[in-house]
Amino acid sequence: MWFLIVCFMSEEERTLVDKSESSSFEDLASAAAHEIEEAKLAEAAAAEKVKLDGKAPGPNEWQDLLGSGSILKKILKKGDESEGLRPQRSDICRISYEIRLRNGKHENMEKRDQVKIYLGDNEVLQGLDLALTLMYKGEICLLQIAPRFAYGDTGLNPGDSLGLVGEINSPKYEGPSIGPETWLEVKLELHDWEEEPEHETLTIAERMEIGIRRRCRGNWWYGRGETQLAVQLYRRALDVLDESEGGITEPTASGEVAQPSDALMALLDERMRVHNNMAAAQLRAGAYDAALQAVTRVLTCQPNNAKALYRKSRILTAMGRNSEALQAARAAAAAAPEDTGVRKELQKCEQKANRDKSVERKLAKRMLGTGGQGKAAPEKKPGRAKMLVWGSLLLSLLVGVASVLAYRYKNQPQ
């Protein structure tokens, strides 16, 4: 027998969640595939040019990988091209690299040896990810990378985390400030690679290690405002943390159903942590439906998860569903009464609720025709002088009518 960790949802709910949560990842994966395809087309065009000209690039010549001048490459040592094999997306690559500013005024700002990365997961700078797809085993090259594929518009400042993959407490950057216009120069070596193993073959400890490294890298991208890249890493973390066909399992020696082990419970907690973080990234990106589905996953398994309830309240507020947001905020406050952020969220929701009630009352008065009118004023009785005038006129009229009738009676023929 096997022990299963599964949080049950209806088939319809599961379909909606999977589709919603994976949409951002699929869009980003499509964009990455497009960049890789551009690089391969540029390489093919360069190879065709070599055939026509009969001259291959010299050892000191730069190659334009994307055809846009954004990533330039110079081969320092050729790799093994005998079989024409190159790493593919999701392969585990073993690499070494050194990063410095292109102007060469400073020493290496980041250096790592024999580190393993999952290709295409943005576990390193995007320029390195793209370059690796066009390298052979054993190849060493020099890259010049434009800001778009390096540290982007955000740049990097002293004290910022380097977000090194595989290190939970990543070292801080200590070099000069890197602005949005700063190019980098990278020495990159591809030692070898292997295919990503099937998740079903991984032990719980291996799943945990991979899930944590992807979540930490996602957090780094989130801190830099790159919400799509963060969602991609969170999605990849869930690929290995979520249940497989039938659930994440662990065998028992006796064949009986076992009680949840500490390792399995820790894995479940890590999965919930990733769902929570993904909801925060999707909320920041304005993907409210996807964010709501992510916290729904958490609350299905952990109904009193204060962080999920807090984020659910913020998501519902952003969607304009204020009454539901207030309910979620009250539940969050009950789960974490000492949390300052939760108390502030509850206060905001209560203020919104009071404003909504005030608006509803005003609208109701207008619909009933009583808004701003107050009580109807009582009719005023006519004054005594007016009554005397009208009485005199009526009496005069009656006397006149009587005189006319008397005159006609007297002069009527007999």
Side-chain angles (χ1 to χ4, degrees):
M1 297 292 291
W2 302 80
F3 171 72
L4 310 181
I5 279 190
V6 183
C7 292
F8 294 102
M9 303 178 72
S10 71
E11 201 60 39
E12 181 179 2
E13 286 175 321
R14 186 177 294 278
T15 301
L16 287 172
V17 171
D18 289 344
K19 181 178 179 181
S20 178
E21 287 184 353
S22 63
S23 60
S24 296
F25 170 68
E26 289 169 356
D27 292 344
L28 197 59
S30 177
H34 177 69
E35 296 283 6
I36 293 172
E37 187 62 28
E38 280 189 348
K40 291 181 177 179
L41 289 173
E43 184 186 43
E48 186 66 24
K49 187 175 184 300
V50 168
K51 286 183 180 180
L52 295 174
D53 297 344
K55 180 182 177 183
N60 294 320
E61 292 186 28
W62 291 95
Q63 303 172 32
D64 186 352
L65 292 189
L66 298 180
S68 61
S70 299
I71 302 178
L72 304 177
K73 172 184 174 182
K74 181 193 292 185
I75 296 177
L76 302 179
K77 176 189 173 184
K78 283 194 172 184
D80 181 5
E81 302 180 18
S82 59
E83 298 181 2
L85 297 178
R86 288 169 168 170
Q88 303 296 316
R89 185 178 179 86
S90 298
D91 284 348
I92 303 174
C93 297
R94 188 165 58 91
I95 65 173
S96 296
Y97 63 88
E98 301 173 7
I99 302 178
R100 63 177 68 90
L101 302 183
R102 189 173 68 167
N103 58 26
K105 293 181 180 180
H106 301 278
E107 298 179 356
N108 293 334
M109 49 184 292
E110 182 180 334
K111 180 179 179 179
R112 303 198 77 186
D113 293 318
Q114 303 285 336
V115 64
K116 289 187 176 182
I117 67 157
Y118 287 79
L119 187 59
D121 275 4
N122 291 292
E123 293 188 332
V124 289
L125 296 179
Q126 292 174 290
L128 275 68
D129 245 355
L130 289 170
L132 284 167
T133 63
L134 300 175
M135 293 179 67
Y136 296 98
K137 180 179 179 179
E139 181 178 328
I140 303 175
C141 68
L142 197 62
L143 302 171
Q144 290 187 355
I145 304 176
R148 175 189 171 193
F149 297 101
Y151 289 107
D153 294 336
T154 305
L156 195 68
N157 296 309
D160 288 351
S161 170
L162 288 170
L164 300 184
V165 67
E167 297 188 20
I168 297 177
N169 297 316
S170 178
K172 306 294 184 182
Y173 174 58
E174 297 178 353
S177 294
I178 296 176
E181 304 298 327
T182 304
W183 281 63
L184 299 180
E185 185 172 88
V186 181
K187 182 180 179 182
L188 177 62
E189 179 176 1
L190 173 60
H191 300 290
D192 53 36
W193 70 87
E194 60 185 357
E195 290 186 6
E196 180 182 16
E198 295 291 332
H199 296 158
E200 288 76 7
T201 66
L202 299 174
T203 65
I204 292 175
E206 289 171 332
R207 286 173 179 263
M208 192 73 167
E209 187 274 329
I210 297 170
I212 290 175
R213 69 180 274 158
R214 289 174 177 171
R215 172 176 59 81
C216 290
R217 184 65 177 180
N219 291 349
W220 186 76
W221 284 116
Y222 177 83
R224 294 179 58 78
E226 298 283 356
T227 53
Q228 280 194 315
L229 294 177
V231 168
Q232 176 186 353
L233 267 298
Y234 296 145
R235 181 65 260 172
R236 287 282 286 156
L238 290 173
D239 285 344
V240 72
L241 293 171
D242 271 348
E243 63 268 13
S244 310
E245 188 71 27
I248 295 177
T249 62
E250 185 174 63
T252 62
S254 64
E256 298 296 327
V257 176
Q259 292 296 318
S261 68
D262 291 342
L264 279 171
M265 294 308 298
L267 196 71
L268 175 62
D269 288 339
E270 179 63 22
R271 187 200 311 174
M272 297 301 101
R273 192 175 294 115
V274 174
H275 274 301
N276 253 329
N277 289 6
M278 184 156 67
Q282 290 167 331
L283 172 61
R284 179 181 287 185
Y288 303 134
D289 288 332
L292 187 58
Q293 296 289 0
V295 294
T296 297
R297 273 281 182 90
V298 179
L299 295 172
T300 300
C301 297
Q302 299 175 347
N304 296 320
N305 187 301
K307 186 175 288 187
L309 290 166
Y310 165 75
R311 285 183 177 152
K312 181 178 181 180
S313 176
R314 292 190 60 201
I315 294 164
L316 291 170
T317 296
M319 297 174 77
R321 295 159 62 174
N322 295 338
S323 59
E324 295 174 76
L326 177 58
Q327 293 177 7
R330 286 172 174 166
E338 302 301 322
D339 190 293
T340 304
V342 169
R343 291 203 304 268
K344 287 182 178 179
E345 178 64 18
L346 177 58
Q347 186 178 13
K348 289 179 183 178
C349 289
E350 288 174 340
Q351 290 173 350
K352 285 181 179 291
N354 291 333
R355 285 197 297 269
D356 290 345
K357 287 180 181 179
S358 177
V359 171
E360 289 173 1
R361 284 195 296 267
K362 290 179 181 179
L363 288 174
K365 287 181 179 180
R366 289 179 183 177
M367 292 176 65
L368 295 173
T370 60
Q373 300 297 323
K375 294 182 179 180
E379 295 185 5
K380 293 184 178 180
K381 294 182 179 181
R384 183 177 182 82
K386 287 186 177 180
M387 291 179 66
L388 290 173
V389 171
W390 283 106
S392 299
L393 290 174
L394 182 58
L395 181 60
S396 299
L397 180 61
L398 291 175
V399 170
V401 171
S403 299
V404 170
L405 291 175
Y407 175 77
R408 286 185 176 181
Y409 178 76
K410 288 180 178 180
N411 294 290
Q412 185 176 9
Q414 301 293 324

